[in-house]
Structures are given as C-alpha cells and as structure tokens.
Amino acid sequence: MNTIAPLPLILLILSAEAAVSGNDTETVLSATPGDSVILDCAGQRAARVWTSWIKDGHIIASKGGPFTDTDPADHRYTLEPNGSLSISPVITEDSGSFLCSSGLSDNSTVNERVQLQVIHVPSTHPDCMVVQTQDTSSVQLNCSWFGAYPTPKLRWEEDGDFQVTESLVVTLNSSKLSDGQKMTCTAQHELLTKEKERSCSIILKTPYPEGQPLVTVLQGTNVTLTCTENVSVPPANTTWRKGQAQDLIVPGSKYILSSEGPELKLTIVNMSEDDERYYFCRSENALGVKELEVYITVKTSSSAYTGAVIGVFIAALIVGSAVAVAKALYSRRHTICLGGGFMQAEDRGDVLDLVDSDDEQIIHDTVPQLPPLANGRHTTLVQIHRIPSSDDHEEIETVEAKPQLPAQKEEPTEELKEEKEEEKEGAEDLVLF
C-alpha cells in the first residue's frame, strides 16, 4: 500500500540534504500544449538510491529511499528508472517549477530544479483600465495581459510601439484628448496571427452631473442635495460649491458631505434666508468640466400659512361655483323635457308648458276647459306645442311632391234632383210666356 509522508517533514529533510550537498542547479525547458517532455534529474555521479519529484509543494512521484514509494498523482506523469519524469501530453497547467531530489549510494543528495514553460495564449483578451489620479491635466491608461508565455507584446494606439511586457501604462496629455475618443490596446503573441491579435478599448467621456435643479425648503429645517455622476471616463473629480463665486464647500457643522457610490450628497443644516442662493455640483476630468446648478428657495412659516389660505380660498371658490350652477338649474325646474332627455326633446320639438295659476284667468277664454271635477274646481288644460324640426320640413316636402289624385264626383242627392227639376220647369214657363 502506497502512503505519503507528511509534506513539511519531507521538505525539511530535502532542504537539509540540499544544503549539505551544495548541489542545486536549475534547467529551463519550453513545450507546447500536446507535446511530450522529459524532465531529467541530476547527472549520474553514483548509483541513484532514491528519487522524489515535487511541484507546488506536493510530491507528485517518489521511488525508494527514506520515503514510501508513491505512484504519480497524474496518469500523464511517469517516473523513469533513471529518475527522470516524463509528461505526456503537456497541458498549460504544467507550467511551473519542478524539484527533483535524489539520494546517491555515497549518501549524498543531489537536487535539480527544472522550470517548465508551456507556450500558450490565454483565452481572455487584454484588460484596459484607467488609472485613477487627482491630476486632470493628463490621463493614465493601463493595458495588462497575464498568463501568456512567452511574454506578449503590448502597444497603445496605431502610432505606438510594441513593448514586451504583461502590463503597459501610458500617460496622455489632456490637450490630445476629446469626448468620445476611443483608445485601443493591441496584444501580439507568437501563437497568434495578425488577424487574430487580441485587443481591448476604452472610450473617453466628459462628466455629466445630474440632480434636482430647484429646491424649496422651510426656514429652520435641513435639506440634502444629491448629485450623481457616473458616466465620465476617466472618473471625474466631483465637488460641491456655493454662490456665484463658486466657493468650495468645506465640511463642518453647517455643511455635511457624504458619498454613496456615484452619488455625492450635501446636507445643509438649519436653513436660513442667508442660505437662499445658487449651489453648484462641479465635475471635472481631463476632458472638461460640467456643472449642475441648483437654486434653493427658503420659505418662512408665514409663507406656508399664506399658501394654505390661498388653497382654502380656491377650494371655496370651486364649491361656490358648483352651488351657483346647481341653483340656476333648480330655478328652471318648471321646464320639463319630454321623451327622456333634453337633447332628445330638442330633436323632437315636444315641449310641455305649465301655466301658473295666476295667469289662469287671462287664458281662460282661449284655453278649453275640462269638465269640472267633483270638488267644483276647473283643471287647466296643458298645451303641447309642436316645434317644427328639420325632419318635419322633409316630411312636408315629401307630401307636396306626391301627385294629387282626381277628386271623385259625389252622387247627387234627392234634394238636388228636385231643385234641378224645378229650375227646368221655371225655364220652360219663361219660354212659353
């Protein structure tokens, strides 16, 4: 059964033996993912008694010696009879330092370090970022690409020079920058063709502070102004200022400054009439300066009372208007519209007029009376007047347009017949005379 000795003890023993022997060399090897590679241990000076391979603080293979035999932890590792370590196939994670410690027959120990560098390209792109500084006259940009072997070449912009480094910082003067300008970092590697070069970009933007431009507060209260600026690249330096001279506001008992992410807040304590003025949220970076202008109006309690009185007056005016309209409608209640609705009554022209009792005697002779009731009182007749409408005119025109039928002759009655006979007889008598 294979067991692993405590690592601290093993490392302590190997370090002590390496110090005593004084033999400690290092070899550098390069490989490409998929290759096979052999890591040789120390040269043969005597018969090797035991061999151990260690990587990243872990024993990965061991044979003979004071340690129990250990099979390779990874099936890609093979411990050869001569103490060499074979790796096949090589992967990116194999990059690093391997330590071979061998015990010889003369009781000496030989240590050999092998640095294996696997040529590879990270799957990620370079990382572009802005270096935060208080200097607004220039911009510092950093481009980094870690994990590539060999070390990549980086450059900023087309007119820049490629430099062999994993991190490239460039400083640009603000006079050469503009809003919306795109800054690009390009990375080269021997495993990448020109068409497959990796890159990253940064778009520069001027600051744009946002907030509420008009604020109204009561005298004696506290007010908090909020300014938000989160679009500028590089990040802007934002401050609160007051008055037309834009004096910088210093935190104290009167003014309290606080920030929450992109928000910069200004709290003004115990507002007075002297605090009624303009305040400015000023944001500045290498591309320019932008300001948010805020005006605070301070009102006294009497102003608030006046506003309440005006509100009550307006409410009373609205109620009074409603009452007046209702009263006007009520005063015309004697007019009744037939047919269920005023608009319908207008269309038909049917209007019902009620005659007051005081006018009853005046129209007594013109208005027919109904038969007296049981109590002896007369009932006034209600007249329904037909108001001609457009529909009535159409009906009249239609009637006039119809052809008139010939009148039928009435049959002569017996009396007419007798009168005609008498007229004939009188005429005959006149002729005879």
Side-chain angles (χ1 to χ4, degrees), residues 42-321:
Q44 298 284 346
R45 290 190 307 170
R48 181 177 286 104
V49 179
W50 57 267
T51 302
S52 296
W53 283 93
I54 302 173
K55 183 179 185 293
D56 298 332
H58 297 84
I59 297 177
I60 58 176
S62 179
K63 182 178 182 180
F67 313 108
T68 305
D69 292 351
T70 302
D71 293 332
D74 193 324
H75 69 278
R76 297 179 302 106
Y77 297 160
T78 302
L79 185 59
E80 303 293 342
N82 63 355
S84 299
L85 181 65
S86 175
I87 304 176
S88 180
V90 174
I91 61 176
T92 303
E93 288 73 13
D94 291 330
S95 295
S97 179
F98 293 80
L99 172 63
C100 173
S101 183
S102 299
L104 305 181
S105 58
D106 58 358
N107 294 327
S108 63
T109 302
V110 178
N111 297 311
E112 175 78 9
R113 292 186 181 274
V114 180
Q115 184 72 28
L116 179 60
Q117 298 177 339
V118 181
I119 300 175
H120 71 284
V121 178
S123 59
T124 60
H125 283 255
D127 184 22
C128 291
M129 61 179 297
V130 179
V131 180
Q132 185 74 30
T133 62
Q134 295 297 324
D135 184 14
T136 58
S137 63
S138 62
V139 174
Q140 283 190 354
L141 304 178
N142 182 30
C143 176
S144 58
W145 197 32
F146 298 102
Y149 179 81
T151 305
K153 296 180 180 180
L154 304 177
R155 76 171 180 184
W156 278 101
E157 292 303 290
E158 296 292 335
D159 55 352
D161 297 328
F162 278 103
Q163 300 182 32
V164 180
T165 179
E166 289 183 326
S167 179
L168 179 61
V169 179
V170 62
T171 302
L172 304 175
N173 192 286
S174 60
S175 61
K176 299 180 179 180
L177 305 177
S178 61
D179 184 31
Q181 183 176 352
K182 186 177 182 180
M183 307 296 297
T184 303
C185 173
T186 305
Q188 286 185 345
H189 194 272
E190 62 181 60
L191 295 182
L192 297 176
T193 62
K194 186 174 181 58
E195 293 75 16
K196 294 183 178 180
E197 290 179 348
R198 308 285 176 82
S199 63
C200 61
S201 299
I202 292 178
I203 299 178
L204 304 179
K205 295 182 180 179
T206 56
Y208 189 79
E210 295 180 298
Q212 188 175 355
L214 297 176
V215 178
T216 301
V217 297
L218 289 177
Q219 185 177 3
T221 60
N222 301 340
V223 64
T224 298
L225 307 180
T226 302
C227 176
T228 304
E229 204 296 304
N230 56 359
V231 300
S232 60
V233 179
N237 181 24
T238 303
T239 57
W240 276 104
R241 300 170 182 267
K242 63 180 180 179
Q244 295 297 337
Q246 297 193 15
D247 298 326
L248 181 64
I249 294 179
V250 179
S253 59
K254 181 65 176 180
Y255 302 106
I256 301 174
L257 294 174
S258 60
S259 60
E260 296 179 5
E263 295 182 349
L264 180 62
K265 297 183 178 181
L266 169 63
T267 300
I268 306 175
V269 180
N270 192 17
M271 294 293 295
S272 64
E273 294 182 354
D274 295 336
D275 297 320
E276 184 174 285
R277 66 181 69 185
Y278 283 99
Y279 294 83
F280 298 89
C281 177
R282 189 174 188 269
S283 297
E284 180 180 6
N285 66 1
L287 278 74
V289 179
K290 294 291 183 180
E291 297 173 347
L292 169 66
E293 184 178 286
V294 181
Y295 186 78
I296 299 182
T297 301
V298 180
K299 290 188 175 182
T300 61
S301 57
S302 59
S303 299
Y305 176 76
T306 303
V309 171
I310 294 176
V312 172
F313 174 76
I314 294 176
L317 184 61
I318 295 174
V319 173
S321 300

Side-chain angles (χ1 to χ4, degrees), residues 1 5 11 20 71 153 251 260 331:
M1 178 177 178
L11 295 177
V20 172
D71 293 332
K153 296 180 180 180
E260 296 179 5
S331 64

Side-chain angles (χ1 to χ4, degrees), residues 319-378:
V319 173
S321 300
V323 172
V325 172
K327 185 175 181 180
L329 294 176
Y330 181 77
S331 64
R332 299 181 60 186
R333 65 187 184 282
H334 62 279
T335 302
I336 301 175
C337 302
L338 301 180
F342 185 73
M343 297 303 297
Q344 295 180 4
E346 285 185 350
D347 293 340
R348 293 204 337 262
D350 296 338
V351 180
L352 181 64
D353 293 337
L354 300 180
V355 181
D356 295 337
S357 59
D358 296 338
D359 300 332
E360 190 171 321
Q361 185 63 33
I362 299 175
I363 61 173
H364 182 272
D365 298 332
T366 59
V367 179
Q369 301 295 319
L370 294 177
L373 299 178
N375 57 6
R377 297 181 63 184
H378 292 284

